[in-house]
Amino acid sequence: MLSFATEFPVSPDGVETIFVDTVRRWVLDSPYTVFSEADLAHFCLDGEFNTKLNGQFLSSVYIRQSEEVVLGAQLITIDKDIEWNTSIVLSKNSDDCWIGIRTSREAVSPAVNLPKAKKPVVVRSILGALSGSLDGDFEVQDKPHFLTNNDIILASRIISGDTGSRLPIVYISVSYNGRLLVDAGSLAQKLSGMAHVVVEPNRPFSQRLQIEVNSSNVYGGALGVYWPDAAARRMVIIPTDYDRVSELRDDIFESIRSALLNRQPLYRCTWAAVREALSRKIIEDLKSSGSKEINDYIEQFDQEQLSIKQNLSDAEREIARLRSEIKKYNAISAPGAGISIKNVAEQELYPGEIFDVIIESLEDAINNTVPNSRKVHILSSLVKSNSVSSHRGDDRSRLKAVLRDYKRMDGKTRSELLDLGFSITEDGKHYKLIYKNDPRYTFALSKTGSDVRGGLNSASDIAKRLF
């Protein structure tokens, strides 16, 4: 069962020597290895190499033809009734150089439980030894990419999946007070070789981006995963939905890992492509030797290969055409059974807010419409089929709980209000609360709560305007 798969471009400068040294070091430094330096004396030399020792199998292939290089290693290990198979492939030509890493694991017996899938250590080793190259608009690295105020067009290409990259992009928006709700550095390290991590600079940038992409961007501290094909699935992550930051990182990692497994691999970076290159070299060598006995077989083999390649090329063109059609469809289609709501200028203060307001407004309209009328039947059907989130109700309850016994702005009260999305400044005899940094939603709160119901009254007034 395949458990990990990725491909990423690297710099071609000195890549072959560095690649061989890094993979050899990875094999020898593994706590599970049974091989010694002497066992690997011919590892990754020209042609094919195989060795077997105490249940471990190591193979390598090195083919160089003109400007094309195919270099691969495969390590198979049986440990505690689990067979691990890791292949690492380098594919270099005159245009670029790519690394492909795939790991699979199989239980030897049905009673064995497979451990949680992880990113192979060799991914970080290779990225540490080799310089990442450009993948579309972004260089492969283990650090975040920080956008500037001049990168609106680049950000819009991320949202629409038009950056030309193969790896997905994790876009981190800033919160309403301009802070990041996740550690972008640690997330970039965890996803290195699997995805690019991109950070927007500030809230005004997010608001400008909203106009550019018709409100399809993440915002307010949320994270979005965007794939280099607008037809691919997207994902929105809300950091406040997680109790611990580590849970958020693990969830993003697992989602991207799973998606990479189901994506069609870059064939040139697979072990099958390595074996094909080796077979092709053997046949070319036989041709060059003038062996008459196999000339007919070689001719038929060549014809079959041409046919296979032509069919593959036709299939790839059809896939590209279908993706283009899906992209067009996604651009014009709208969710719902014949209901279309155009993007509005208002940016949601939490994901799904506009939808929640619409459904709640429909509920209010039902109470003010002639009973048992066609209008009531339609509105009731819509409300019944579309539930609202609990966000508005939860925040309303939290606000009332915070201000219920309000006497002064102590540390706990301030922390709770900040967590709800309010910024707090002093304004004479009152505090000024601004919700989500939107000056339209500014409220005054007394510095001293003399009235026993003063806090609840303030909470009620605020909740009526916001929730």
Side-chain angles (χ1 to χ4, degrees):
M1 178 189 299
L2 189 65
S3 60
F4 183 86
T6 191
E7 301 101 23
F8 51 86
V10 295
S11 171
D13 299 334
V15 67
E16 296 158 53
T17 301
I18 299 174
F19 176 85
V20 173
D21 290 343
T22 303
V23 176
R24 179 189 285 113
R25 199 74 266 153
W26 167 70
V27 173
L28 293 175
D29 289 348
S30 169
Y32 308 105
T33 190
V34 297
F35 299 115
S36 65
E37 290 274 6
D39 296 323
L40 274 61
H42 300 285
F43 176 70
C44 279
L45 294 183
D46 190 42
E48 183 178 18
F49 164 79
N50 293 288
T51 186
K52 173 183 177 182
L53 185 65
N54 296 339
Q56 289 191 5
F57 306 83
L58 180 63
S59 303
S60 70
V61 173
Y62 188 2
I63 307 294
R64 172 185 284 277
Q65 292 181 324
S66 185
E67 296 185 27
E68 181 179 354
V69 173
V70 177
L71 217 173
Q74 184 181 63
L75 177 64
I76 301 175
T77 301
I78 298 178
D79 177 61
K80 296 179 181 178
D81 294 324
I82 299 176
E83 180 180 296
W84 299 85
N85 185 329
T86 299
S87 64
I88 310 160
V89 176
L90 180 150
S91 175
K92 175 185 173 184
N93 56 35
S94 57
D95 297 324
D96 53 30
C97 183
W98 281 75
I99 301 286
I101 300 172
R102 299 172 74 82
T103 296
S104 62
R105 53 197 182 153
E106 298 290 343
V108 177
S109 65
V112 175
N113 292 321
L114 294 175
K116 184 178 179 181
K118 298 180 180 179
K119 182 171 72 174
V121 174
V122 70
V123 177
R124 180 172 294 184
S125 299
I126 288 177
L127 283 173
L130 294 167
S131 299
S133 186
L134 277 178
D135 175 34
D137 289 325
F138 296 99
E139 187 173 292
V140 175
Q141 59 185 36
D142 60 358
K143 301 184 292 294
H145 300 270
F146 291 94
L147 299 179
T148 69
N149 285 324
N150 297 322
D151 290 327
I152 284 289
I153 300 302
L154 175 58
S156 69
R157 290 207 303 272
I158 293 173
I159 306 305
S160 60
D162 291 331
T163 60
S165 66
R166 178 166 177 81
L167 296 179
I169 296 173
V170 178
Y171 186 94
I172 304 178
S173 66
V174 296
S175 65
Y176 294 100
N177 59 13
R179 295 185 298 110
L180 298 181
L181 301 184
V182 299
D183 184 343
S186 63
L187 182 61
Q189 284 191 344
K190 190 174 187 68
L191 298 177
S192 60
M194 301 171 62
H196 304 289
V197 174
V198 177
V199 182
E200 70 179 15
N202 47 55
R203 275 289 295 159
F205 183 94
S206 178
Q207 292 165 329
R208 288 164 54 205
L209 180 61
Q210 176 197 7
I211 299 171
E212 191 72 31
V213 298
N214 294 321
S215 301
S216 59
N217 58 309
V218 291
Y219 55 86
L223 288 76
V225 181
Y226 298 95
W227 290 82
D229 182 342
R233 66 176 182 172
R234 297 177 182 180
M235 179 179 172
V236 177
I237 302 101
I238 311 299
T240 53
D241 288 344
Y242 297 84
D243 294 330
R244 293 190 296 273
V245 175
S246 60
E247 292 179 355
L248 180 147
R249 286 197 301 265
D250 290 345
D251 194 21
I252 297 175
F253 170 84
E254 186 57 31
S255 296
I256 292 178
R257 182 194 71 86
S258 177
L260 290 174
L261 294 183
N262 295 314
R263 182 176 64 171
Q264 182 179 1
L266 195 61
Y267 181 71
R268 59 184 279 199
C269 293
T270 64
W271 189 248
V274 172
R275 300 302 307 178
E276 181 184 320
L278 179 62
S279 298
R280 190 165 60 244
K281 182 177 185 304
I282 292 172
I283 290 173
E284 290 298 328
D285 290 344
L286 288 171
K287 280 184 177 180
S288 300
S289 70
S291 176
K292 304 298 183 183
E293 293 82 359
I294 64 167
N295 280 345
D296 290 342
Y297 168 75
I298 290 174
E299 183 176 349
Q300 293 299 319
F301 181 83
D302 286 345
Q303 291 299 320
E304 182 181 12
Q305 285 293 99
L306 286 173
S307 177
I308 291 173
K309 289 182 178 179
Q310 182 61 51
N311 289 337
L312 179 60
S313 178
D314 292 343
E316 289 175 343
R317 278 196 296 270
E318 178 64 8
I319 290 171
R321 185 190 69 79
L322 291 173
R323 283 178 173 169
S324 178
E325 291 297 319
I326 293 173
K327 193 171 183 178
K328 292 177 184 176
Y329 173 79
N330 286 344
I332 63 174
S333 63
I339 298 176
S340 175
I341 299 175
K342 292 186 177 181
N343 290 318
V344 296
E346 284 292 325
Q347 190 175 65
E348 293 181 317
L349 299 182
Y350 66 85
E353 181 193 24
I354 292 175
F355 181 81
D356 285 353
V357 170
I358 291 172
I359 298 302
E360 289 181 356
S361 298
L362 294 180
E363 291 175 336
D364 292 340
I366 292 172
N367 297 325
N368 297 304
T369 302
V370 177
N372 204 31
S373 64
R374 176 61 176 162
K375 187 176 180 180
V376 164
H377 295 159
I378 292 174
L379 295 179
S380 298
S381 177
L382 286 170
V383 170
K384 184 178 180 181
S385 301
N386 297 276
S387 60
V388 299
S389 70
S390 62
H391 196 109
R392 291 162 67 81
D394 290 347
D395 281 1
R396 185 188 298 114
S397 298
R398 285 183 62 191
L399 180 64
K400 289 183 177 180
V402 171
L403 298 181
R404 183 180 303 277
D405 299 317
Y406 175 75
K407 293 290 186 285
R408 62 185 179 84
M409 185 66 71
D410 55 20
K412 181 179 179 182
T413 302
R414 180 181 292 273
S415 177
E416 290 282 357
L417 289 173
L418 290 174
D419 194 44
L420 277 166
F422 292 95
S423 58
I424 306 170
T425 58
E426 294 193 25
D427 188 15
K429 296 181 179 180
H430 296 82
Y431 289 107
K432 185 166 67 176
L433 309 183
I434 303 177
Y435 187 63
K436 305 291 188 180
N437 278 347
D438 191 327
R440 295 176 298 175
Y441 310 120
T442 301
F443 307 91
L445 184 64
S446 174
K447 290 186 176 179
T448 57
S450 56
D451 186 348
V452 69
R453 288 191 53 83
L456 274 179
N457 290 336
S458 295
S460 178
D461 292 341
I462 295 172
K464 285 177 183 178
R465 289 187 59 193
L466 296 180
F467 312 122

